[in-house]
Amino acid sequence: MPMYFDSWSGFLAMAGHGIYVWSAYAVASVVIAYNLAVPLMARRRIFAQIAAQVRREERLVKRGVDVNQVTAGSGDDTGRHSANSGSTQQKHCAERQAEQQAEQQKENLESVKGSAQ
């Protein structure tokens, strides 16, 4: 079977239509490469998220937190937030109580100073 074109340069030029043909091949190649790369990157990202969740649950188990109660959320990072919310609330409550006691002591000191004068 003889070749339609006389030379490789004639094949690349394609009788003046080479720019359109080869640009179409280039665009198609880019689209195919994109369609192959995106699922692979998504797979890598999903595996990284699963590994992070496993590490998070291991840390919670070490702390003695019920993992089932924490991770029964919508699948995002709300579990981590819920696990820390109890201790954070206790911390803020203790800080508020300390501030209130300090204010009360100041008021008591001022009232004692006022009655002494």
Side-chain angles (χ1 to χ4, degrees):
M1 179 177 226
M3 194 167 133
Y4 180 74
F5 300 100
D6 295 332
S7 65
W8 284 105
S9 63
F11 174 71
L12 294 176
M14 292 200 175
H17 301 289
I19 188 74
Y20 305 110
V21 172
W22 296 117
S23 63
Y25 272 109
V27 169
S29 298
V30 168
V31 169
I32 290 171
Y34 177 80
N35 284 333
L36 291 173
V38 168
L40 294 175
M41 291 186 309
R43 180 177 184 234
R44 183 180 295 164
R45 185 174 47 250
I46 289 169
F47 281 143
Q49 288 173 349
I50 291 171
Q53 182 177 358
V54 167
R55 287 191 303 268
R56 200 174 314 125
E57 289 176 0
E58 287 173 352
R59 281 194 312 263
L60 290 174
V61 167
K62 285 181 183 177
R63 291 180 190 165
V65 177
D66 183 15
V67 176
N68 292 329
Q69 181 182 11
V70 172
T71 59
S74 62
D76 55 4
D77 285 340
T78 57
R80 183 184 65 188
H81 189 276
S82 298
N84 294 332
S85 64
S87 63
T88 304
Q89 288 175 349
Q90 290 173 352
K91 191 177 194 180
H92 288 298
C93 185
E95 289 174 358
R96 272 187 262 143
Q97 287 176 350
E99 288 173 1
Q100 289 173 351
Q101 287 176 351
E103 287 178 21
Q104 200 171 32
Q105 288 175 354
K106 276 185 182 179
E107 290 174 3
N108 289 343
L109 266 173
E110 288 174 3
S111 66
V112 169
K113 284 182 182 179
S115 64
Q117 291 177 354

